[in-house]
Amino acid sequence: MAVLHKEFIKFDKEITLNSSRKESLANSRKEIRRKIRKWFKDNKPDEIQPKFHGQGSYEMNTTINPIVEYDSDGNILRKYDLDYGVYFIEKDGEGKKQSIDIWHNWVYNSVEDHTNKKPIKKTTCIRVVFSDGRHIDLPIYYKQGDTIELAHKSKGWLLSDPKAFYEWFNEEKKSKPRLEAIVRCLKAWKNYKENNNSSLKLPSGFELTILAVNHYVDADNLDEAFRETVIAIDSELNKTNGFKCLRPTTPKGENVFAGYSDTRKTGFLNALHSLKVDCEKASNEDNFENASEILRANQFGSRFPKGENKRESERNHALANSMAAAKITPKPYAD
């Protein structure tokens, strides 16, 4: 049995944001914040002025480096996906709550010329798109007292609290040491599978994060922890009436899989089963290279490192010899 712990660790390092990339993305958010603030100050000085709060994977350290893509001119695209909440916080009795359409339009106007690509009006946010492929979503919230509502263009005002979600995750990971890495690996798996099949729509990173937390299995190495967590997720979702993913924070208990079509549900369960089977096949391989090739070919692509063309038993034998050679010969008593 070839344990691919070293390969999983290298893979996680490959997909994790380094400090310079984090700084670059943080600066993008900062520039957007500055631009929106100025627009409201210049154009809507008597209205509630927006405030901002980070949310999503960036706040949980689970943002991944996406697979590099190319546009029609051959330019490199790195499709980072960030969320940055825009909050309109009203004081008691102020009476300045606007309609969802008005606030969506104002935020759109404030970032309309921020890049050379037009922002996109989505039902849950305004999306600012950059020429290098990344985008920043600007969901809009209204807060009064302790109540926070998301401005959803088709469903109206929805109770929501993205800050509570990342705080929940960051608390969970204190007792689940491999959780962050498992979430990143699941996101990298989603990235690879969807890039290779444009009709496949796997769960969002938010949904995969909930599944990973709820079915986390700890182990001495990342290979086993990832495999056992995937097995646990697959087992639970395939139970009778088990296809659920319940939101842990406001609106607590909401099944975020409720809107899945039969096609999407079947596609996800098939892909998840394939991941589980390949993880098990790889774990039964004795040769590191063969084991890694199973995951490279079907689940993660070439970003997953190729293992050594060596058997686990050979590595253990070499390690035993090395340890034996390092032993210090007891010094005979001279006196």
Side-chain angles (χ1 to χ4, degrees):
M1 176 178 173
V3 178
L4 296 176
H5 173 68
K6 187 171 72 173
E7 287 74 16
F8 265 95
I9 294 295
K10 283 183 181 175
F11 181 51
D12 185 42
K13 187 176 180 182
E14 168 75 19
I15 61 178
T16 301
L17 297 185
N18 60 29
S19 56
S20 64
R21 182 62 65 180
K22 280 183 181 176
E23 185 178 352
S24 170
L25 294 176
N27 285 337
S28 294
R29 297 198 316 189
K30 186 177 175 182
E31 282 303 307
I32 285 179
R33 184 178 66 208
R34 184 193 61 76
K35 190 127 188 173
I36 296 174
R37 277 180 173 165
K38 184 175 187 312
W39 188 92
F40 273 84
K41 187 177 178 182
D42 292 346
N43 296 279
K44 304 292 173 186
D46 297 328
E47 301 291 339
I48 301 174
Q49 298 300 293
K51 296 186 181 301
F52 301 84
H53 213 296
Q55 65 182 69
S57 60
Y58 189 88
E59 307 302 320
M60 300 185 287
N61 198 31
T62 57
T63 303
I64 64 163
N65 293 314
I67 294 172
V68 172
E69 298 179 44
Y70 298 89
D71 65 16
S72 56
D73 296 322
N75 298 311
I76 289 176
L77 299 178
R78 291 185 171 89
K79 296 184 176 178
Y80 290 98
D81 174 7
L82 294 183
D83 297 314
Y84 199 32
V86 182
Y87 286 72
F88 293 94
I89 303 173
E90 185 164 39
K91 299 172 185 171
D92 285 344
E94 202 170 18
K96 291 186 175 180
K97 184 177 184 179
Q98 296 291 349
S99 72
I100 290 173
D101 281 343
I102 285 176
W103 265 333
H104 266 250
N105 288 337
W106 286 353
V107 172
Y108 178 89
N109 293 339
S110 70
V111 294
E112 190 171 10
D113 60 349
H114 188 65
T115 71
N116 59 7
K117 293 179 179 293
K118 283 291 182 186
I120 299 171
K121 294 180 178 179
K122 300 182 73 70
T123 55
T124 57
C125 66
I126 301 299
R127 174 168 292 178
V128 179
V129 183
F130 294 76
S131 58
D132 64 359
R134 65 184 145 161
H135 67 255
I136 296 180
D137 285 341
L138 303 169
I140 296 162
Y141 298 93
Y142 169 73
K143 181 179 181 184
Q144 187 173 37
D146 294 330
T147 303
I148 304 172
E149 297 172 307
L150 169 69
H152 194 296
K153 291 195 72 172
S154 62
K155 296 180 179 177
W157 292 105
L158 301 176
L159 287 175
S160 179
D161 192 350
K163 180 171 178 282
F165 181 77
Y166 74 70
E167 287 177 341
W168 166 78
F169 178 82
N170 289 338
E171 188 64 30
E172 288 286 334
K173 71 185 183 185
K174 290 178 182 175
S175 60
K176 298 177 173 67
R178 301 193 186 279
L179 181 60
E180 263 189 18
I182 289 173
V183 171
R184 286 191 291 263
C185 288
L186 284 172
K187 287 184 173 184
W189 167 70
K190 166 187 165 69
N191 188 198
Y192 176 74
K193 298 294 282 188
E194 290 181 341
N195 264 26
N196 283 275
N197 180 357
S198 59
S199 64
L200 181 65
K201 187 169 173 55
L202 294 174
S204 67
F206 168 77
E207 292 162 346
L208 290 174
T209 299
I210 296 173
L211 293 175
V213 171
N214 290 345
H215 303 289
Y216 175 83
V217 179
D218 201 12
D220 291 337
N221 62 77
L222 183 54
D223 179 357
E224 184 180 352
F226 180 79
R227 181 176 65 254
E228 293 302 322
T229 299
V230 167
I231 291 171
I233 295 171
D234 179 73
S235 175
E236 180 64 27
L237 296 185
N238 280 290
K239 287 180 180 174
T240 303
N241 298 321
F243 191 76
K244 296 174 184 173
C245 182
L246 303 182
R247 190 189 294 268
T249 53
T250 307
K252 192 171 184 177
E254 176 192 29
N255 180 15
V256 294
F257 282 173
Y260 273 41
S261 66
D262 288 342
T263 301
R264 187 178 184 189
K265 174 183 174 182
T266 301
F268 169 42
L269 289 179
N270 287 342
L272 182 65
H273 183 72
S274 166
L275 175 63
K276 185 195 84 160
V277 169
D278 279 346
C279 284
E280 290 173 330
K281 281 183 185 174
S283 74
N284 290 327
E285 266 288 341
D286 192 38
N287 179 283
F288 293 96
E289 183 176 359
N290 293 343
S292 66
E293 286 293 0
I294 293 170
L295 299 180
R296 285 163 57 90
N298 302 321
Q299 306 301 338
F300 295 129
S302 60
R303 293 201 297 178
F304 192 83
K306 187 182 287 190
E308 285 184 284
N309 184 15
K310 186 176 283 188
R311 303 175 81 83
E312 176 82 42
S313 52
E314 293 174 49
R315 182 184 285 183
N316 290 342
H317 183 67
L319 180 61
N321 286 342
S322 173
M323 291 178 67
K327 277 187 178 177
I328 299 173
T329 305
K331 188 176 180 180
Y333 290 106
D335 296 333

